[in-house]
Amino acid sequence: MSPIRPHTAARMENIAPFHVMDILARAQALQAAGRDIIHLEIGEPDFATPAPIVEAGVVALRAGHTHYTGALGLPVLREAIADFYAARWQVAADPARVIVTPGASGALLLTLGLLAGPGDEVLMADPGYPCNRHFARFCEARAVTVPVDAASGFQLTLNLIERHASPATRAVLIASPSNPTGTAIAADELAHIHDWCASHGVALIVDEIYLALTYDGSEHSAARWDDVFVINSFSKYFLMTGWRLGWLLAPAWAMDDLERLAQNLFLAAPTPAQHAALAAFAPATLAELDARKAELRERRDFLLPALRERGFIIPTQPQGAFYIYADCSAHADDSFQFAQALLEQAGIAVTPGLDFGQHQPQRYLRVAYTQPLPRLIQAIARLDTFLKK
Ligand SMILES: Cc1ncc(COP(=O)(O)O)c(C=O)c1O
């Protein structure tokens, strides 16, 4: 008897893969064949986790910290995170409202799991971080993707929210600075959105995973309001992507439900990683992280004018993260094909706009400056040769 394949859930139809994986797979095949590929497609810093954090992780493992923590995380880490808000962003955050999660991914899943279900709508920008719409789908809710462009710095505005909201709107999700555009939301616009959400009983979720990587303007945290779901992570600024650690600062009223949900979804965030992260807040470690941040800024300041001089349109200054969302329509009609040609002919891997939504994806490429400056200089030289062809 031939086995009958079990059914897959209907939601799987809507969970798209990352198209960049095709680019990455091809890049790896070219590399295996001896080609030198410059990787500007990867959304994580190239820097290693600072040594004091690694050391604290090793010490924790040796000391036997390999059991579960409470679902909300180590109390001492929740306090350290709250202190970081005060020191870095001049915001008083109650440690009792901090939940340590498996990455910002875990925090997003918890938040949407709490807020959204069948028939509910979650507003988010398009282009945006692709997992957000999939998290909403996973919760059987509808991601309402709002087309944004340079006119609003690729961010939602109150006006756009009012136009796309419905009685089913349960949450507005903002990421600032944004992936893939690196652009940040203005403080006054966020304040207008916050007031609108508060007066309509709509939750405001602000993903600040790149906030500490803001190069221009102020790092204004939405944690200044205690009714916002503020998401952050040790992945990007803290250079700990693989440790899988993030956090959520939630309104007090949501904590009991979130704790229950965290217990059930993942029991707790990884224990050795939580101990390691305690070392991230030491002044010497923060100084190292800020030096890395300065390096990222230097890369942006090289790459941004270099791309603009070569006909890529980048109308809004990317103020943070490590991404430039470049309009390549002066060179090609289809950014996916352009990305493929760039890889094959110039050995440069970038992410096509297709991964970030449905609003003009064929015009855009995301270029991640997650390579050292000499490699970026080399990439621009290769790009010149490529564009001359
Ligand atoms: C905007 C944004 N949010 C959340 C995440 C998830 O990060 P992590 O789960 O590693 O903390 C990412 C990762 O690239 C991101 O770009």
Side-chain angles (χ1 to χ4, degrees):
M1 195 185 75
S2 60
I4 301 171
R5 186 175 178 262
H7 199 75
T8 30
R11 69 173 68 88
M12 292 313 298
E13 292 284 310
N14 308 103
I15 311 279
F18 296 165
H19 292 94
V20 70
M21 288 304 165
D22 296 344
I23 300 275
L24 188 61
R26 181 65 190 145
Q28 281 163 349
L30 288 171
Q31 261 172 322
R35 285 278 300 278
D36 174 49
I37 305 298
I38 304 178
H39 289 280
L40 307 182
E41 81 281 38
I42 298 179
E44 65 172 321
D46 49 319
F47 308 118
T49 304
I53 301 178
V54 175
E55 194 50 37
V58 171
V59 168
L61 285 168
R62 292 230 165 87
H65 293 308
T66 53
H67 301 276
Y68 297 132
T69 67
L72 299 179
L74 286 175
V76 63
L77 180 59
R78 296 169 67 206
E79 272 170 37
I81 290 169
D83 290 347
F84 188 64
Y85 277 89
R88 181 113 187 172
W89 297 310
Q90 296 76 53
V91 169
D94 182 352
R97 296 199 292 113
V98 175
I99 309 176
V100 182
T101 53
S105 307
L108 285 161
L109 189 58
L110 271 186
T111 308
L112 292 178
L114 174 83
L115 298 170
D120 295 338
E121 296 181 351
V122 182
L123 262 58
M124 57 187 75
D126 176 352
Y129 178 56
C131 302
N132 289 335
R133 51 183 196 275
H134 299 146
F135 283 134
R137 177 67 186 90
F138 193 73
C139 297
E140 304 294 333
R142 198 166 86 81
V144 177
T145 52
V146 179
V148 292
D149 52 26
S152 67
F154 294 96
Q155 288 285 353
L156 292 178
T157 61
L158 176 57
N159 187 269
L160 286 169
I161 290 168
E162 283 178 325
R163 281 184 9 225
H164 288 84
S166 84
T169 306
R170 295 288 170 268
V172 170
L173 172 48
I174 285 170
S176 178
S178 141
N179 178 5
T181 65
T183 53
I185 193 162
D188 57 347
E189 191 67 51
L190 188 59
H192 295 320
I193 294 172
H194 168 261
D195 292 350
W196 182 92
C197 287
S199 63
H200 285 76
V202 168
L204 178 58
I205 308 167
V206 184
D207 181 347
E208 299 187 343
I209 189 168
Y210 299 107
L211 180 65
L213 292 176
T214 300
Y215 314 117
D216 311 317
S218 65
E219 291 181 11
H220 54 93
S221 171
R224 65 187 179 283
W225 300 292
D226 58 12
D227 57 354
V228 177
F229 291 81
V230 183
I231 283 162
N232 212 316
S233 175
F234 287 94
S235 285
K236 313 289 177 164
Y237 169 76
F238 292 98
L239 309 176
M240 295 178 67
T241 45
W243 298 76
R244 307 311 305 131
L245 205 63
W247 72 85
L248 166 64
L249 182 63
W253 61 262
M255 289 304 293
D256 286 348
D257 285 345
L258 286 168
E259 181 170 10
R260 219 157 16 96
L261 204 51
Q263 284 166 351
N264 281 278
L265 287 183
F266 23 71
L267 298 181
T271 303
Q274 293 191 58
H275 284 275
L278 285 170
F281 300 108
T285 315
L286 291 173
E288 181 180 339
L289 294 171
D290 281 329
R292 294 307 198 189
K293 172 180 173 174
E295 233 173 305
L296 287 170
R297 183 196 176 133
E298 197 188 349
R299 297 175 186 180
R300 183 205 61 172
D301 291 346
F302 164 74
L303 202 56
L304 186 60
L307 290 172
R308 283 178 170 154
E309 282 158 21
R310 283 157 185 83
F312 293 90
I313 305 162
I314 306 146
T316 314
Q317 175 87 350
Q319 292 134 287
F322 29 71
Y323 306 118
I324 295 175
Y325 202 51
D327 178 337
C328 62
S329 56
H331 299 299
D333 294 335
D334 178 352
S335 61
F336 192 75
Q337 281 173 9
F338 188 75
Q340 283 175 322
L342 207 54
L343 176 60
E344 297 294 332
Q345 296 169 37
I348 304 169
V350 295
T351 308
L354 205 55
D355 266 338
F356 306 105
Q358 279 148 17
H359 180 52
Q360 301 187 317
Q362 71 287 352
R363 289 180 79 102
Y364 290 95
L365 297 171
R366 188 192 72 179
V367 185
Y369 38 97
T370 47
Q371 290 291 313
L373 194 55
R375 283 296 261 175
L376 299 181
I377 294 171
Q378 202 181 359
I380 290 296
R382 288 190 194 180
L383 184 64
D384 280 336
T385 313
F386 172 80
L387 292 176
K388 271 191 211 120
K389 277 189 192 158

